[in-house]
Amino acid sequence: MPMLEVNNIHTYYGNIHALKGITLTVEQGEIVTLIGANGAGKTTTLRTISALLRPRQGNVLFEGEDLSNIPAHQMVYKGVAMVPEGRGIFSRLTVSENLDMGAFSRKDKDSMGKDLERVFTLFPRLKERRNQVAGTLSGGEQQMLAIGRAMMSHPRLLLLDEPSMGLAPVLVEAIFDTVIAINKEGTTILLVEQNATMALSVAFRGYVLQTGEIVLSDSAQNLSKNEMVQKAYLGME
């Protein structure tokens, strides 16, 4: 049984039909990526999975349980955490306070220290800046904080929405190295990313979205060799 099953979801913004029958799966332990142009429906797919948007048709199953109708804030209790596009940190709180907010749903308070150290191991810069107000961090540091805050909920499935957006190339590589590390430690990842080259370099499998529909799915290795993907998303002629 897949960890995540998205079955024929149709999602609307008012009368705009944004997702037109999206079906995908994510197996436990995988990194799966969704690639596509701006407006293709990548973020809408994540927002539907995380219950921020309600599909008019179809359903979302997590570990066999239908989560289509639960409140969005309950998703974190189920083991799903999302790092939103634009980071969404609490800019007036310190780094430590942001990380504490990530653990609000946890009842195992005794083990939170271990996970905090895990975050600081992944992102040593956050440890250095633990008492700094989050809004004064650089863009790369804020992205680290957004990921670290999500990891503090101890998710089994991590949804990442455009983690490389607005970052310098050296920081992009660092973020994707962290994505690999998080996955190797046992967290399953569904990654939305416009930088298709980087996304396919870390993913196991991928789906290509165009105007709200999946037009192609394959292993990441095969997608990176696909002529259409190369021309449309990898900058190859």
Side-chain angles (χ1 to χ4, degrees), residues 88-106:
I89 61 166
F90 299 104
S91 60
R92 296 186 180 183
L93 301 183
T94 66
V95 167
S96 288
E97 288 168 339
N98 268 270
L99 294 174
D100 287 344
M101 290 296 290
F104 80 94
S105 64
R106 295 182 58 173

Side-chain angles (χ1 to χ4, degrees), residues 113-131:
K114 181 179 178 181
D115 285 306
L116 184 61
E117 284 306 312
R118 178 189 182 201
V119 169
F120 286 152
T121 299
L122 288 169
F123 302 114
R125 203 172 302 180
L126 294 183
K127 188 171 186 178
E128 296 169 9
R129 289 159 171 71
R130 62 194 304 170
N131 296 318

Side-chain angles (χ1 to χ4, degrees), residues 2-220:
M3 173 177 274
L4 177 70
E5 295 178 75
V6 176
N7 299 312
N8 191 36
I9 56 172
H10 292 256
T11 301
Y12 289 72
Y13 292 104
N15 293 323
I16 299 173
H17 195 175
L19 299 183
K20 306 166 185 175
I22 296 291
T23 295
L24 60 87
T25 61
V26 180
E27 300 288 343
Q28 183 171 346
E30 283 191 310
I31 302 175
V32 174
T33 187
L34 307 180
I35 61 175
N38 278 336
K42 305 186 302 297
T43 292
T44 302
T45 301
L46 287 194
R47 288 172 64 84
T48 303
I49 292 169
S50 59
L52 293 169
L53 294 172
R54 298 292 181 198
R56 291 192 190 176
Q57 182 180 332
N59 62 3
V60 176
L61 302 179
F62 178 64
E63 296 179 334
E65 181 181 357
D66 191 340
L67 302 184
S68 303
N69 294 309
I70 73 165
H73 71 273
Q74 289 287 338
M75 293 296 288
V76 70
Y77 292 96
K78 298 293 185 180
V80 181
M82 181 170 174
V83 179
E85 180 182 356
R87 297 147 199 163
I89 61 166
F90 299 104
S91 60
R92 296 186 180 183
L93 301 183
T94 66
V95 167
S96 288
E97 288 168 339
N98 268 270
L99 294 174
D100 287 344
M101 290 296 290
F104 80 94
S105 64
R106 295 182 58 173
K107 297 178 180 177
D108 57 331
K109 303 299 182 183
D110 293 341
S111 62
M112 281 173 49
K114 181 179 178 181
D115 285 306
L116 184 61
E117 284 306 312
R118 178 189 182 201
V119 169
F120 286 152
T121 299
L122 288 169
F123 302 114
R125 203 172 302 180
L126 294 183
K127 188 171 186 178
E128 296 169 9
R129 289 159 171 71
R130 62 194 304 170
N131 296 318
Q132 187 170 329
V133 174
T136 65
L137 299 175
S138 70
E141 291 164 349
Q142 289 185 15
Q143 187 63 66
M144 295 173 191
L145 179 57
I147 296 173
R149 183 183 59 188
M151 294 306 296
M152 285 300 295
S153 71
H154 208 76
R156 295 190 298 283
L157 174 64
L158 182 64
L159 309 177
L160 288 173
D161 194 357
E162 301 284 7
S164 76
M165 180 179 288
L167 301 185
V170 65
L171 288 175
V172 171
E173 290 190 14
I175 290 296
F176 277 96
D177 285 345
T178 303
V179 169
I180 293 171
I182 290 171
N183 176 253
K184 285 182 176 178
E185 290 180 357
T187 304
T188 304
I189 296 173
L190 179 58
L191 168 69
V192 158
E193 180 55 59
Q194 200 163 350
N195 186 336
T197 301
M198 290 300 296
L200 292 174
S201 73
V202 303
F204 296 33
R205 296 186 296 113
Y207 295 87
V208 180
L209 273 67
Q210 289 182 359
T211 59
E213 298 180 273
I214 292 173
V215 297
L216 194 60
S217 65
D218 208 333
S219 70

